[in-house]
Amino acid sequence: MAQVDTAATGQAGAGRQDTGSGTWRSDIHRTILLGFQPGPWKRGPVLAALALLLGLLMLLHAKVPNRAGNLGSLVETFLPWFGLFIPVLLAGALWRRSISAVAALLLPVTVWLNLFGGLLSDKSHPDGDLTVASHNVGADNPDPVGTARDLAASGADVLALEEVAQQARGTYEKELATAYPYHTVQGTVGLWSKLPLSDTRPVDTEMDYGPLADTKPADVKMAYNRALRTTVATDRGPLAVYVAHLGSARVTAAGFWTDSRDRGARALGKAIAAERNERVVLLGDLNGTMDDRAFADITSRLRSAQDAAGDGFGFSWPATFPVVRIDQILVRGVKPESSWSLPATGSDHLPVAAGISW
């Protein structure tokens, strides 16, 4: 029988034990390192926090204060565009493989869809008893003749124009006379109609403000009056129509400047609140979106035709690449059947139109 070298065998066994011990220690070391590496739920904490902040900002936009540079109104003006941050954050979450960030994105997605999801579908209907349209034709419009002809060809029964420059007024009156036998111009706003008008008067939107406002003669104020009210005689009864061009809103170094616009919105809201006719249409360039809290006195009494019966957001300004809807058609006592934007003219605004019924 062969003899076994016990010394050699012992050394070999010891070697195998050392090898096993080293492998075991390596496994433990790797496990510890993996334990300290961020898992799918721990990755991307900054992305998750940004997603939650985005959702809370949209959800609580009405709580953003206006004390510092009208920040709240600025946020609400561009509120739909906050949705663009969602795919950006989603891309970051997928790149980081962060489950927590993806889960956090459910909040802004839900809030955005709740606010604007209804605008993603076409809610228009072909029916309508009356077609109304509104257009800020632009004081610097290089082609008022072409603009007037395009608007006449739109087929609108009632057509409101804002920012009618004195030198262009005669052009609009001449070019629209055939299609619209009835019209009124009050300062820089006007209404052209296929139906008779009555009880027409200017509406004071407080463009003059301060101690000297009441000292100006009536004819001076009328030259730059920016709102009117009239009654359109329809087959279904009288329709009160307001046309308005509120003051400008501008982003400046000091913030979002909206002083004259906000005064006008409050004054217009009071006029509409005092309106006795149950059927009302407001047409005009309000220089703001209806998400802006500054228009609460108006939106509490009138509803947007675009929101009720439009297709999409209906952005109207600037005409070359519209990013906001500041040209509005708002109604009370009638049903919006459709709402749309008309093709661009020589103005920096797009015309907007709506079909309404009783």
Side-chain angles (χ1 to χ4, degrees):
M1 178 180 289
Q3 293 184 343
V4 177
D5 187 341
T6 55
T9 304
Q11 289 177 357
R16 285 193 296 269
Q17 284 183 343
D18 289 344
T19 301
S21 176
T23 303
W24 180 73
R25 291 193 189 97
S26 297
D27 291 341
I28 293 177
H29 182 65
R30 282 195 298 270
T31 301
I32 293 174
L33 290 177
L34 288 172
F36 281 99
Q37 289 180 357
W41 283 101
K42 296 181 179 179
R43 297 187 192 121
V46 174
L47 290 171
L50 289 174
L52 292 175
L53 287 174
L54 176 62
L56 290 173
L57 178 62
M58 291 191 292
L59 179 64
L60 305 175
H61 64 85
K63 303 295 184 181
V64 178
N66 253 350
R67 291 187 295 272
N70 278 342
L71 180 61
S73 286
L74 182 61
V75 167
E76 289 166 338
T77 297
F78 296 99
L79 195 58
W81 292 97
F82 280 78
L84 290 180
F85 291 107
I86 294 174
V88 174
L89 290 173
L90 178 60
L94 295 176
W95 179 69
R96 291 284 291 130
R97 298 180 182 177
S98 172
I99 295 178
S100 59
V102 172
L105 279 169
L106 290 175
L107 177 61
V109 168
T110 302
V111 173
W112 193 92
L113 288 176
N114 183 63
L115 290 172
F116 305 111
L119 296 175
L120 299 180
S121 60
D122 186 355
K123 300 178 291 298
S124 62
H125 304 281
D127 300 327
D129 298 321
L130 195 74
T131 300
V132 297
S134 176
H135 190 27
N136 179 327
V137 293
D140 299 322
N141 190 324
D143 185 20
V145 172
T147 297
R149 291 176 179 175
D150 288 343
L151 293 173
S154 70
D157 300 296
V158 175
L159 172 65
L161 301 187
E162 303 87 46
E163 208 169 293
V164 179
Q166 185 61 37
Q167 65 272 19
R169 173 175 172 173
T171 300
Y172 290 114
E173 289 177 328
K174 177 183 177 181
E175 297 297 331
L176 295 172
T178 301
Y180 301 98
Y182 308 96
H183 87 280
T184 179
V185 177
Q186 305 284 318
T188 64
V189 296
L191 189 75
W192 277 257
S193 174
K194 295 180 180 180
L195 303 170
L197 305 177
S198 63
D199 194 17
T200 301
R201 60 181 182 269
V203 175
D204 183 10
T205 54
E206 299 184 10
M207 291 300 295
D208 280 316
Y209 183 73
L212 299 179
D214 294 334
T215 66
K216 295 182 179 180
D219 58 336
V220 173
K221 289 185 177 181
M222 180 55 67
Y224 52 85
N225 175 73
R226 296 173 66 149
L228 66 83
R229 184 263 183 216
T230 190
T231 299
V232 177
T234 76
D235 294 338
R236 302 295 185 90
L239 175 69
V241 177
Y242 287 77
V243 181
H245 180 200
L246 298 185
S248 298
R250 297 185 179 91
V251 179
T252 68
F256 192 39
W257 185 83
T258 61
D259 291 359
S260 64
R261 185 205 69 179
D262 294 352
R263 283 198 311 272
R266 290 191 293 269
L268 188 58
K270 291 178 182 177
I272 293 170
E275 175 60 52
R276 295 184 177 182
N277 197 323
E278 64 179 14
R279 299 186 182 97
V280 180
V281 173
L282 168 59
L283 306 165
D285 172 10
L286 303 189
N287 269 311
T289 71
M290 294 303 95
D291 296 310
D292 191 332
R293 68 195 70 179
F295 298 96
D297 290 341
I298 296 175
T299 55
S300 63
R301 297 177 175 91
L302 304 176
R303 62 171 173 161
S304 166
Q306 181 66 26
D307 288 353
D311 181 10
F313 291 91
F315 295 144
S316 63
W317 183 88
T320 52
F321 186 77
V323 296
V324 290
R325 183 180 178 87
I326 60 177
D327 300 276
Q328 309 292 345
I329 299 177
L330 306 171
V331 303
R332 181 184 79 194
V334 294
K335 180 183 178 183
E337 297 288 359
S338 56
S339 179
W340 66 97
S341 297
L342 296 169
T345 68
S347 171
D348 59 340
H349 291 245
L350 292 179
V352 295
I356 60 174
S357 63
W358 276 251

